[in-house]
Amino acid sequence: GHCGKELGPLEIQHGTGLCNKCYDGCEKDCMICQNKIMVVQLGFQSGLCNKCYDRCQKTCKVCTASLAKEQLRWDTGLCDHCYNENKHKSCEMCQNPLQKQ
């Protein structure tokens, strides 16, 4: 299971790879498109459906570091460090605050 707990027979038959506690606490709707995440995808714990996971950027646009699965759900293409460094910046041309693309 996600937490390292050995799964019981009833938990195994659900096919998620998650114990009941992890299943109850995981995202069931995709954080990007809001569609339901298929049961077999819940064990990945990304909070994304396969379609959104496949299309999202996996490396930071600024520093090219690999993005952790928890960072993919924000769909910014930035790692936490680069996001925090740039979130209060504004456009060089028009001075409007930068927004998520």
Side-chain angles (χ1 to χ4, degrees), residues 3 7 9 16 20-21 29 32 37 40-41 43-44 47 53-55 57 65 72 79 83-84 86-88 90 94 100:
C3 62
L7 300 179
T16 64
N20 289 337
K21 183 178 177 182
D29 296 324
I32 295 175
I37 298 174
V40 295
Q41 298 168 353
F44 297 120
Y53 179 85
D54 289 344
R55 83 156 182 80
Q57 186 157 340
L72 299 176
C79 67
Y83 176 82
N84 289 331
N86 291 292
K87 69 180 175 183
H88 298 296
S90 44
C94 67
K100 180 177 121 176

Side-chain angles (χ1 to χ4, degrees), residues 16-38:
T16 64
L18 301 173
C19 69
N20 289 337
K21 183 178 177 182
C22 289
Y23 176 82
D24 291 342
C26 75
E27 295 292 336
K28 312 252 184 343
D29 296 324
C30 178
M31 298 288 290
I32 295 175
C33 72
Q34 304 304 313
N35 287 327
K36 291 283 182 206
I37 298 174
M38 291 177 23

Side-chain angles (χ1 to χ4, degrees), residues 22-88:
C22 289
Y23 176 82
D24 291 342
C26 75
E27 295 292 336
K28 312 252 184 343
D29 296 324
C30 178
M31 298 288 290
I32 295 175
C33 72
Q34 304 304 313
N35 287 327
K36 291 283 182 206
I37 298 174
M38 291 177 23
V39 169
V40 295
Q41 298 168 353
L42 293 175
F44 297 120
Q45 291 287 297
S46 68
L48 303 177
C49 66
N50 276 354
K51 182 178 176 183
C52 288
Y53 179 85
D54 289 344
R55 83 156 182 80
C56 74
Q57 186 157 340
K58 310 289 187 303
T59 56
C60 178
K61 294 181 204 177
V62 176
C63 71
T64 68
S66 291
L67 297 176
K69 64 183 176 188
E70 299 82 20
Q71 296 169 333
L72 299 176
R73 65 180 62 192
W74 306 117
D75 202 24
T76 63
L78 299 174
C79 67
D80 287 347
H81 174 77
C82 290
Y83 176 82
N84 289 331
E85 289 290 314
N86 291 292
K87 69 180 175 183
H88 298 296

